Structures are given as C-alpha cells and as structure tokens.
Amino acid sequence: MLGTYIIWPSRWNIPAHLALGFCVTAYIVPGLMTNVWDLFDERTNDLYFYINLVGATMVVAGLVVGSRIIIFKGLDRSWRRLYSSASIRMASIRRAETVGLMAVIGMMAAYLIMGFIPMFAEDPFAAKQFKNQYFEPYYRAAYLFRGSFSSLLVAIPLLFTIWWIARRPKPLLIAISAVVLITISLARQSSAMGVITFIGLVAARTRLGSRWYLILTAIIFPLGSAGYLLLGLILGVESLTSIYSLDSIADIIASGAPDIYDMLTFLNGFQDLNNFTYGRTFFGGLIPGNYMWNPSVWSITYDNLGSDISEMITGGLRFTTALWGYCNFGWIGVVIVSFLSGLINGSLVRSLKSMPMDQSLMASALVITIYMTLGKQLTEFYFFSIHNIPAMLCSLYIAFGLTNARHRRLIAPPTEQTTL
C-alpha cells in the first residue's frame, strides 16, 4: 500500500499519505500492539505472512518496472491540459459545483424515498449495510443513492479546493452538506476521505505543512476507527459500541479495523478447502445484487456459495492484493496479480509525478482525484465494482466534460488567484 513512496517520494504523493494513515490503523496497531496472532495457529499465521511477503515483493517490482514504461499513452498530455489551460480549469469548476449540488439533492431524495437514515435507525449497522428490514426501502432508491454517494466522494475535495482558492460560500456550503449526508450514512472512511484529501492538497504546498499532514493522518485514521464507539456513546446506541473490545486503546482501534483478524479467520478455513475462484471474482462485482462471485459476497460465503447473506451484517472482507491473487489462482496468482497491480500503478504514478503540481492547486486536485478513482480501479483490476463506475465517470466529466479535449483552445494560464 505504501510502495509508491519508492518511486515517488514526494509531499504531493497524497494517496500514499492517506494509505499510511490506514496502515497505522489496520496493520501497525493491530499487528504490533494486540494479541491477534495468538488467536490462530502457526500454520495460518505463516501462510498469511508468506502470501503477503511474496505479494509485497512483486508489487514493488511491478511499481519499479511500471515507472519506467508507458502503458497509458496520452495520459500525460491529457493531464497537462489541466495545467496549461485556464479555460479548462474554469469549466471544471462549474461542473464540480453542478455535480456536487445535484448529488446533494440526490442523496437527500434517496433518504426521503428510503424513509430512514442509518445513523438514526433502530439498528444502525443493519441500516448501514441495508440488510434485514432495511433492504426493501433501500432497493427503491438504490441507484439514486449509490450514484449520488459516489459523485459526492469525487466532488467533496474539489469543492473544498474551489472554496479555498476563491473564498466563495457556494462551494463550501455544498461541500459541508455533502460531508454531513455521507456521515449520517455511517460510512466512516468515505465521510472523512474528501476532507482529508483536500487538507493534503493544501498542506503539500509547503514542506512543513506536509510533515504536519503525515502526523494528522496517523492520528485521524485511528480516531475514525473508534468512531462507532464514540458515536454510540454520544447517541446511547449499544449496537454501535458492541463490536469493540475495551481492553486497551489498541484493542479499540483494532476492533474498528479488523483487517488482520478477518484475513486470518478467512485463511484459517480457506487453506483446508482451497476453493479458488479462477478469476470469477475479478468481474463479479459488476453484476448488481448479491451475486455469488461478487468479491464482497464471496469473501463471506466462499465455503457455502449461494447462501443467503441478507442477514449477515457486513459488507464483505478487505483483503490485500496478494491475498486476492491467492484466492483466485493460488501462489501463481500471488505473483502475477501482485506484479500486474504494481505495474499498472507504477505507470500511472509515472505520469502523476511528472505533473507541475505547484503550478495550480485546482489542476492538481483534479489529477489526483482521477488517479484515486479511475486509477485506483485500474490498479485493483482484481476487484471491479459497479459502485466505482459513477465515481470514475464523474471525475472524468468534471475534469474534461463531454467534448473532445483535443479541440479545446489552449491558452496561457493567468495567475491562480484569478483563474483557480
């Protein structure tokens, strides 16, 4: 997850800074400060270790090779247009505000159609995952909710960036409304990611700011992991606090981000069955509904394919790249999937790091947003999801619109203060 630091050790490598905060929460704290390893036998722990050791090595190898070759021809030229043309940036600003406003209205309408808000529902976790009695109401507004939700994730950092440069109230009001609407859906990471990304963009303009930003991510992600506990105590909702072990601060953080525990639990059973998917989970997420080869469904029903997940209060398990490779093709999958993922990411970062980031904050916000949506999905080709499509299309639309960028008239950019 932090491999891009090797090929782009820059204060502008905001995606890696965000990954660092996540790693502190999901890996460093649970792995070094809790007894999670004692809950499983040596065979399971060793398998987990070697899968991720080999996978991480291949990801790094792919990153290094990818940083030296061009896979996505024309990407540099498309991104540079955002820096060289003030008119393109101004058009993207108008589109960002329009998309943000429409998505805010869409989210509000979706909540009205569903008739419930997860944060204030009787069973918040079930409502968050739209399970049990919450599925039917959600299904009525599913496409509106998902489309608006994904669009807001893209728009939030851009709207805050527009406000920061122009100091106009409209983008700020839309951005705050968007954050509130996502927060009450109980999507912890999503509610904070746009704000943290924006802060990273501003902080990256100075070395001192970048250093403080790293400290911020290392603090705010663990706090976010304990978010349900804090919210449950404030609202007096016992179900929000019941998932936490209160033995120590480390245990509280690990309870909110049980990635290692989940993967070890999975491997403990999978190593006896070896129900490899042979690539079927690569594209299973593109089929709506609880399709059995959807990675989020398969990861919790691999030992009983086709079982009913309507009462399972979970959105699936988070795996490392290497573990997804192993689940699909065994050890050869660990090597090939990890290397290809690193190769694609390395080529994308090659283009990203060649951009004049200090030249325009708005253009940098746009290219990083595209990288974190479309680029992330290309890198995670082993986990295609229909839910990612709106965000990818939205980021491209905001940046370039619907017309052919080749026919746009390029003009020399005036100062950032007048053109954003």
Side-chain angles (χ1 to χ4, degrees):
M1 292 185 69
L2 304 178
T4 57
Y5 277 136
I6 297 174
I7 61 174
W8 191 28
S10 167
R11 66 182 188 272
W12 286 101
N13 193 351
I14 296 168
H17 301 338
L18 295 171
L20 176 61
F22 176 80
C23 286
V24 169
T25 305
Y27 295 108
I28 295 175
V29 171
L32 299 180
M33 302 179 187
T34 72
N35 67 339
V36 64
W37 311 104
D38 298 335
L39 304 177
F40 301 89
D41 58 39
E42 185 177 355
R43 183 181 66 150
T44 300
N45 289 337
D46 285 349
L47 180 60
Y48 178 82
F49 170 75
Y50 287 114
I51 285 174
N52 287 292
L53 177 63
V54 173
T57 302
M58 297 312 299
V59 166
V60 171
L63 283 167
V64 173
V65 174
S67 67
R68 288 166 167 76
I69 63 176
I70 298 175
I71 296 178
F72 306 98
K73 188 176 180 180
L75 182 60
D76 291 27
R77 186 167 60 253
S78 296
W79 278 352
R80 283 190 182 278
R81 287 193 180 95
L82 295 170
Y83 290 92
S84 62
S85 174
S87 61
I88 293 178
R89 292 199 299 275
M90 291 300 294
S92 70
I93 288 167
R94 291 191 293 270
R95 288 190 292 267
E97 293 182 348
T98 300
V99 167
L101 181 58
M102 292 179 63
V104 164
I105 295 173
M107 280 286 285
M108 294 173 65
Y111 282 132
L112 287 173
I113 294 171
M114 293 191 300
F116 70 89
I117 295 174
M119 179 181 287
F120 306 111
E122 183 178 352
D123 187 345
F125 278 132
K128 175 196 173 186
Q129 300 295 342
F130 308 115
K131 299 295 179 68
N132 300 334
Q133 71 268 31
Y134 301 102
F135 176 75
E136 288 298 330
Y138 159 72
Y139 191 73
R140 295 195 297 265
Y143 291 102
L144 179 61
F145 181 89
R146 292 295 183 184
S148 300
F149 186 96
S150 296
S151 299
L152 288 181
L153 296 183
V154 173
I156 287 172
L158 300 177
L159 290 168
F160 275 118
T161 301
I162 295 168
W163 163 76
W164 178 263
I165 299 170
R167 291 300 196 271
R168 292 190 285 110
K170 180 181 177 181
L172 178 62
L173 292 174
I174 298 174
I176 292 174
S177 300
V179 171
V180 171
L181 288 169
I182 293 179
T183 299
I184 61 178
S185 75
L186 292 181
R188 291 175 302 176
Q189 185 171 328
S190 298
S191 63
M193 189 61 69
V195 179
I196 302 175
T197 301
F198 156 69
I199 295 173
L201 286 164
V202 175
R205 307 192 84 175
T206 65
R207 294 187 181 277
L208 180 60
S210 185
R211 294 191 185 104
W212 279 108
Y213 182 66
L214 290 175
I215 297 174
L216 173 66
T217 59
I219 294 174
I220 201 166
F221 274 82
L223 285 176
S225 182
Y228 289 146
L229 175 63
L230 299 174
L231 185 63
L233 293 174
I234 293 172
L235 298 179
V237 180
E238 185 177 351
S239 61
L240 289 173
T241 63
S242 61
I243 66 170
Y244 289 91
S245 170
L246 304 180
D247 293 340
S248 67
I249 294 177
D251 284 309
I252 292 174
I253 294 172
S255 298
D259 292 59
I260 292 178
Y261 176 82
D262 286 346
M263 285 186 280
L264 289 173
T265 300
F266 171 85
L267 271 180
N268 190 53
F270 185 81
Q271 62 187 325
D272 294 325
L273 297 175
N274 288 331
N275 289 331
F276 300 117
T277 69
Y278 301 107
R280 283 174 289 194
T281 55
F282 283 19
F283 305 100
L286 295 175
I287 299 176
N290 295 326
Y291 180 57
M292 65 181 180
W293 297 111
N294 183 319
S296 298
V297 175
W298 179 85
S299 62
I300 57 177
T301 61
Y302 74 93
D303 57 345
N304 187 13
L305 286 178
S307 60
D308 183 14
I309 69 165
S310 61
E311 296 184 3
M312 298 181 184
I313 312 300
T314 175
L317 307 182
R318 280 192 300 231
F319 291 167
T320 60
T321 300
L323 186 53
W324 275 120
Y326 182 79
C327 292
N328 278 273
F329 302 107
W331 283 102
I332 192 170
V334 174
V335 174
I336 294 177
V337 171
S338 299
F339 179 79
L340 289 177
S341 178
L343 184 73
I344 294 170
N345 201 13
S347 185
L348 289 168
V349 172
R350 177 185 180 278
S351 297
L352 193 60
K353 72 178 183 180
S354 68
M355 295 298 109
M357 293 289 183
D358 289 310
Q359 182 175 309
S360 168
L361 184 63
M362 187 64 202
S364 296
L366 288 166
V367 298
I368 287 177
T369 299
I370 294 172
Y371 171 77
M372 292 177 65
T373 52
L374 178 60
K376 183 175 184 292
Q377 180 64 93
L378 292 173
T379 301
E380 297 180 356
F381 62 89
Y382 50 85
F383 199 114
F384 282 109
S385 173
I386 193 173
H387 298 313
N388 294 337
I389 293 176
M392 293 187 292
L393 295 177
C394 187
S395 65
L396 292 174
Y397 169 71
I398 290 176
F400 303 111
L402 299 176
T403 59
N404 192 333
R406 293 181 181 179
H407 298 142
R408 296 171 188 253
R409 181 172 62 89
L410 304 184
I411 61 175
T415 61
E416 175 94 274
Q417 286 75 16
T418 58
T419 68
L420 303 185

